[in-house]
Amino acid sequence: MTPPLDVLVVGAGPTGLALAAQLRTYGTRFRIVDRSLDRVRESRALGIQPRTLEALAGFGVTEELVDRGNTAMRLRLHLARRTVSVPLFDIGATDTPYPFLLFLAQAETERVLGEHLAARDVAIERGTEVVGLERQGPLVVCRLRGRDGAEETVTARYVVGCDGAHSTVRARAGIGFEGYAYPQTYLLADLEVDGLEPGAVHSYMTGAGMLFFFPLGSPAPWRMLAMRPSDVPDSKVTLPLLQGIAERYGARGLVLRDPVWMTDFRLHNRGAAHYRCGPFFLAGDAAHIHSPAGAQGMNTGIQDALNLGWKLALVCRGAAPEELLETYGAERAPVGRDVRRFTDRAFVIGTSPNPVLRFARARLVPHLAPLVRHATAPRRWVFRTVSELGIHYRRSPASTTGTRSPRRGPRAGDRLPDLPRGLQAQVAAPGWHLLLTGPAHLWPDERLAPVLAGRADLITVHRLGDRSPWPDVAQGLLRPDGHVGYVTRGAELGGLRAYVERWLPAEPT
Ligand SMILES: Cc1cc2nc3c(=O)[nH]c(=O)nc-3n(C[C@H](O)[C@H](O)[C@H](O)COP(=O)(O)OP(=O)(O)OC[C@H]3O[C@@H](n4cnc5c(N)ncnc54)[C@H](O)[C@@H]3O)c2cc1C
C-alpha cells in the first residue's frame, strides 16, 4: 500500500500553483490535481500587487512576471468636461523593490507558475476531480476521478481546498460560505480599443456607474470592465453592446474592436466561516470572494497559499508543532475579512444606484478629482492597503516581541521591508532567517549555538551590522513567508530561544 500523502492540493488555479511551489521547495510529499483539462486561457485577474511580487520572488518567478507584464503608473480619470491624471503608486512605495501594480493576464501568471513547477518535476494532474473526501482516523481518504472516469483512492494527512468559489473541499468539510450577491451585472472584455492613450488605466465615471480600461498586452491590448446599466436587459455580450455602453459612460471617440473574450457575470461577497476544519484547509477563492475592486482576489489567494505552505511542510516533517497550523486561520481570516470589507466599500461607492452616491459621482467627483493628487495621506493609505504591503500578523500567536521593542523598524508580525535596499533579496532563500544587527562581536557562534542546536538546517544567520531595518542592536527572526516572527532590542538571547523552542522544537514533534 502506498504511504499517505502529506498534502493533497485540490485545484491548480493561482492559489494551488503557489501552494505547490512552496511545498516543492520544502520537499513535502504532495499531489496537485485539477478537474479542468487545461489551465485558464482568459485574462481574469489582471493586477499583481507589490506584496505578491515580493512573496513570489523567492521562487525566482517575479522577474519573468514583471518582464511579461505592464506597469501602469497613471490613472486617467475622464470626467464630463476634462480628464484628470492621477499618479498611481508614487507614494508610500519606498520600501519595496516592486513599487507598481503589474498588469498581467491570469493566464500568463498561471503559465509562469506552471512552468516553474514543471521545471521542478511537479506534475499538475489535470482532468482529475476530487469527488469524495472522508476522514478516517488521522487521515483523509480522497476519491479522485480521472478523465477516463476511472476512480483512484489516495490517503492524505491534509487536504487544501484551492478549488475556487464552488469548493468541493469546503462543502465536504461542512464549512459555511456566507455572504451576498450584488444586484448589478458586470461586463468584461479583452479587446483592442482605438483612441485610448497607452500605458495608463482609464476610468470614466458618471452618476450611472463606472467604466474602466486596463492596459493588458496579452491576450489583447485592453481589458474593459463596466457595470451593465439597469435599463439594458441581460442579453448575450456583443461588441455593439459594449460600444454602446462605453458611449453611455462618456467614452466617446473610442472604437472597440477585435475582442478575444467577452462575458458578463454577477459578483458575490462571501467568506468561509473557518479556514480550517481538522485536516481540511481552504485558501483563495474557496475561502473568500468579492468584487474585483482594487485587484485583490488572486493576490489574496496567492498570499493565503504562501502563509500556509511552509507551515504544512514543517509540521509534516516533524519540525514544527501541529499548533502552528492554527495560526493560518488566525492570520489569514482577518485579512480575508478586511479585503471583503474594503472591496465592498470601493465597489458600492463606484457603482451604487443610491441617489446620494449617484449625485456624488456625477457632481462632486469632477470638482474633487483634481485635488486627489495633492491628498498625500489618503493616497498613501490607499497604496499601502491596495498593494497589500500593509498586511501584518501582529496579533498572531506566532508573533512575539521580546522584553524590549526596537524603537523603529518592523514589529513582530510585520512583513520585512526592503530597507535597506536589497535586504529582501538577501533573505529570499527558503527557511527562517535570523537577522542580527549591531557589532558582529555581539553574536559569536558559541552564543548562537543553543538557538540553532537541532535546527541549523532551518535557520540561516545574517549578521547585518548597521545595514539593518532596526536602528538598535536587535534580533529579528524572519519566517519563511517574509514576516517577522520574533523581534527584540538588545543582545540577550533568552526570548529568541524560547520562541524557537516553541515553534521549531529541536526534538521532532
Ligand atoms: C470572469 C472572471 C473575471 C475575473 N476578473 C478578476 C479581476 O479582474 N481581478 C481579480 O482580482 N480577480 C478576478 N477574478 C477572480 C480571480 O480569477 C480569482 O480570484 C482567482 O482565480 C482565484 O484563484 P484560485 O486559485 O483561488 O481559484 P480558481 O482560479 O477558481 O481555481 C480553482 C481551480 O480548482 C479546480 N477545481 C474545482 N473543483 C475541483 C475539484 N473538485 N477537483 C479538482 N479540481 C477542482 C478548478 O478547475 C480550478 O482550476 C475573475 C474571475 C472570473 C471568473
Side-chain angles (χ1 to χ4, degrees), residues 218-229:
S218 165
W222 294 97
R223 151 74 65 86
M224 172 178 170
L225 177 69
M227 193 173 96
R228 189 193 286 267

Side-chain angles (χ1 to χ4, degrees), residues 49-127:
Q49 299 292 349
R51 180 61 194 137
T52 306
L53 293 169
E54 288 183 356
L56 292 173
F59 303 125
V61 296
T62 295
E63 298 316 319
E64 187 174 353
L65 293 171
V66 173
D67 283 350
R68 290 180 176 279
N70 203 326
T71 55
M73 303 296 281
R74 268 173 313 121
L75 169 68
R76 301 275 288 158
L77 199 51
H78 300 268
L79 306 165
R81 289 195 187 79
R82 61 185 153 167
T83 298
V84 176
S85 198
V86 181
L88 289 173
F89 286 24
D90 61 327
I91 289 176
T94 50
D95 66 350
T96 176
Y98 310 104
F100 44 79
L101 174 59
L102 183 74
F103 287 98
L104 184 67
Q106 182 171 331
E108 286 296 295
T109 304
E110 291 192 16
R111 198 175 63 69
V112 170
L113 288 170
E115 285 172 3
H116 170 84
L117 291 174
R120 281 149 192 82
D121 298 323
V122 176
I124 300 165
E125 299 177 46
R126 296 206 177 273

Side-chain angles (χ1 to χ4, degrees), residues 80-378:
R81 289 195 187 79
R82 61 185 153 167
T83 298
V84 176
S85 198
V86 181
L88 289 173
F89 286 24
D90 61 327
I91 289 176
T94 50
D95 66 350
T96 176
Y98 310 104
F100 44 79
L101 174 59
L102 183 74
F103 287 98
L104 184 67
Q106 182 171 331
E108 286 296 295
T109 304
E110 291 192 16
R111 198 175 63 69
V112 170
L113 288 170
E115 285 172 3
H116 170 84
L117 291 174
R120 281 149 192 82
D121 298 323
V122 176
I124 300 165
E125 299 177 46
R126 296 206 177 273
T128 303
E129 180 172 11
V130 171
V131 291
L133 296 167
E134 244 170 66
R135 289 180 73 165
Q136 211 171 76
L139 297 175
V140 183
V141 178
C142 317
R143 262 190 319 120
L144 311 182
R145 185 175 297 148
R147 59 184 82 187
D148 57 359
E151 288 199 3
E152 176 197 5
T153 301
V154 294
T155 51
R157 283 180 69 182
Y158 300 104
V159 175
V160 186
C162 306
D163 49 349
H166 304 284
S167 170
T168 304
V169 177
R170 191 181 64 228
R172 298 292 159 131
I175 299 174
F177 199 47
E178 294 302 316
Y180 48 89
Y182 293 97
Q184 305 93 334
T185 311
Y186 293 86
L187 302 161
L188 193 148
D190 291 347
L191 73 185
E192 175 61 289
V193 184
D194 294 332
L196 269 185
E197 179 190 312
V201 176
H202 294 264
S203 167
Y204 295 79
M205 186 179 285
T206 67
M210 290 176 88
L211 160 71
F212 286 96
F213 291 100
F214 300 97
L216 197 55
S218 165
W222 294 97
R223 151 74 65 86
M224 172 178 170
L225 177 69
M227 193 173 96
R228 189 193 286 267
S230 52
D231 56 346
V232 174
D234 280 358
S235 59
K236 191 168 181 296
V237 183
T238 61
L239 198 55
L241 175 79
L242 296 176
Q243 181 75 46
I245 285 173
E247 285 166 16
R248 277 190 60 169
Y249 281 117
R252 292 186 193 88
L254 302 184
V255 177
L256 313 188
R257 62 182 171 88
D258 300 334
V260 295
W261 185 45
M262 295 184 288
T263 188
D264 59 355
F265 58 98
R266 282 198 57 199
L267 293 169
H268 294 250
N269 187 309
R270 295 182 192 280
H274 310 283
Y275 277 37
R276 176 189 188 182
C277 178
F280 302 109
F281 291 83
L282 300 176
D285 275 19
H288 42 73
I289 52 171
H290 41 79
S291 92
Q296 303 288 289
M298 180 182 74
N299 292 277
T300 308
I302 289 175
Q303 289 174 49
D304 287 344
L306 300 183
N307 181 290
L308 178 60
W310 61 273
K311 294 175 180 173
L312 285 169
L314 293 184
V315 170
C316 287
R317 71 151 93 155
E322 161 74 23
E323 188 192 352
L324 182 63
L325 297 177
E326 285 304 310
T327 66
Y328 169 62
E331 293 174 356
R332 294 304 298 177
V335 173
R337 268 197 301 275
D338 286 352
V339 168
R340 287 177 55 207
R341 197 178 309 127
F342 168 76
T343 55
D344 181 68
R345 284 188 191 150
F347 210 63
V348 167
I349 289 169
T351 62
S352 168
N354 175 302
V356 176
L357 290 172
R358 281 183 72 112
F359 174 81
R361 286 196 299 267
R363 304 265 176 240
L364 297 184
V365 169
H367 297 289
L368 295 178
L371 306 177
V372 168
R373 51 185 312 137
H374 306 295
T376 314

